[in-house]
Amino acid sequence: MPEPRTAFAGVSNVLVTDGSSAVLVDGFFSRPSLLKLAATRVAPDRARIDEALRRLGVTELDAVLVAHSHVDHVLDAPVVAELTGATLAGSPSTRKVQEGYGLAAEPFEELVPGKPAEFGAFTVTPVETAHSAGDRVPGEITEPVRLPARSKAFKTGRCYSFHIAHAAGNVLVHASANFVPGALGGYRADVVYLGIGAAGKQTEQWRERYWRETAGSVGARTVRPIHWDAFWRPLSKPLKPLPKVFDDLGTTMATFERLAAADGVTLAMPELWKRV
């Protein structure tokens, strides 16, 4: 049986593949500049998307799974799905983005929390979760998003964690640093890709509970932090943490290193592009 492998591509982009089947979370590769995100309009950058897919070794996907519909998750997802022959899977807000791009005829599956969906050899169960503290663009997208668009047009919509099950092992991709108490009870995962953006601005007690509600709840043996990098820097440059005004990566990692050691969990920063 082929062993699933994973790869990280910045923010909360996580590829999970067994060599035949493959799913990708988000696929946000364009990474518009901070000026564009804050003051002008944005659109997918086809050259950056093509280069990222090349670096990941991806030509075909079974699904592109969108964790929520903010610009740093959904901007490229409909395009990546079209280019790879994948089903775009997410919330009704994500569907409005796909429609606005003129891709309404492309495959789409609305994800319902707790309802498994089959994509190739993977069973993906979306789990309800919450966006991290300080959501700047809450709400649902109710009209198609036309390009180019302001970043505030990409509203949160529904937030998901993804439990990705395979006959050879399970992965949890939890993009946003927040939780719904008890939501992950009953799920097991060998590896957790854990969103930590803005966790450094929370209290130590909150971070401890966040760890217990995610990595602890699913019995993870390996945790790889994600969504810690400044997502407006192109992937052609080395990743850098979010500025201190938004987060404190060192504080979060100090907490998680302590908790991982106590639980016997391997905590490792993921290496860009590398399949593990």
Side-chain angles (χ1 to χ4, degrees):
M1 179 181 297
E3 182 182 17
R5 301 182 73 80
T6 60
F8 171 66
V11 198
S12 51
N13 303 318
V14 178
L15 172 71
V16 187
T17 179
D18 68 359
S20 297
S21 299
V23 297
L24 175 68
V25 176
D26 291 343
F28 171 68
F29 304 127
S30 293
R31 298 169 71 107
S33 70
L34 194 56
L35 176 62
K36 286 185 177 181
L37 289 168
T40 62
R41 295 175 184 269
V42 298
D45 184 320
R46 176 63 187 273
R48 290 186 176 184
I49 292 170
D50 287 345
E51 175 62 12
L53 292 175
R54 185 191 69 79
R55 295 291 301 273
L56 282 171
V58 166
T59 56
E60 295 181 339
L61 292 166
D62 291 281
V64 176
L65 312 168
V66 181
H68 60 268
S69 296
H70 280 170
V71 68
D72 56 329
H73 296 263
V74 79
L75 177 66
D76 298 336
V79 176
V80 173
E82 181 195 24
L83 290 173
T84 58
T87 296
L88 183 66
S91 70
S93 291
T94 293
R95 176 58 172 168
K96 288 300 180 185
V97 177
Q98 186 184 43
E99 290 174 357
Y101 287 14
L103 298 173
E106 294 295 314
F108 179 81
E109 182 159 343
E110 181 179 342
L111 296 176
V112 178
K115 181 180 178 182
E118 304 291 333
F119 298 109
F122 296 100
T123 300
V124 177
T125 304
V127 181
E128 183 182 6
T129 189
H131 192 271
S132 57
D135 187 344
R136 288 184 166 85
V137 199
E140 302 285 337
I141 301 173
T142 58
E143 298 294 331
V145 176
R146 310 292 182 187
L147 294 171
R150 295 194 179 278
S151 60
K152 66 181 181 182
F154 297 93
K155 297 182 179 180
T156 315
R158 180 175 279 164
C159 285
Y160 307 100
S161 288
F162 298 118
H163 183 265
I164 303 170
H166 186 276
N170 301 334
V171 176
L172 178 74
V173 180
H174 187 90
S176 293
N178 210 339
F179 58 92
V180 172
L184 288 167
Y187 294 95
R188 306 297 290 177
D190 309 288
V191 178
V192 174
Y193 281 87
L194 186 62
I196 63 172
K201 294 294 187 179
Q202 299 277 15
T203 66
E204 185 79 353
Q205 292 73 25
W206 184 93
R207 285 189 293 275
E208 290 174 352
R209 186 172 183 199
Y210 179 51
W211 177 273
R212 290 196 301 271
E213 290 279 357
T214 53
S217 183
V218 301
R221 305 321 313 154
T222 299
V223 172
R224 299 189 178 110
I226 57 173
H227 212 334
W228 51 265
D229 56 305
F231 53 81
W232 49 85
R233 286 173 53 85
L235 287 169
S236 57
K237 296 182 178 181
L239 299 183
K240 286 190 174 181
L242 289 166
K244 285 290 184 70
V245 68
F246 299 118
D247 195 12
D248 187 337
L249 178 62
T251 294
T252 299
M253 291 303 293
T255 302
F256 286 179
E257 285 165 2
R258 174 174 58 81
L259 296 171
D263 292 349
V265 172
T266 299
L267 178 67
M269 296 298 281
E271 186 176 337
L272 196 62
W273 312 121
K274 183 179 180 180
R275 291 195 184 189
V276 293

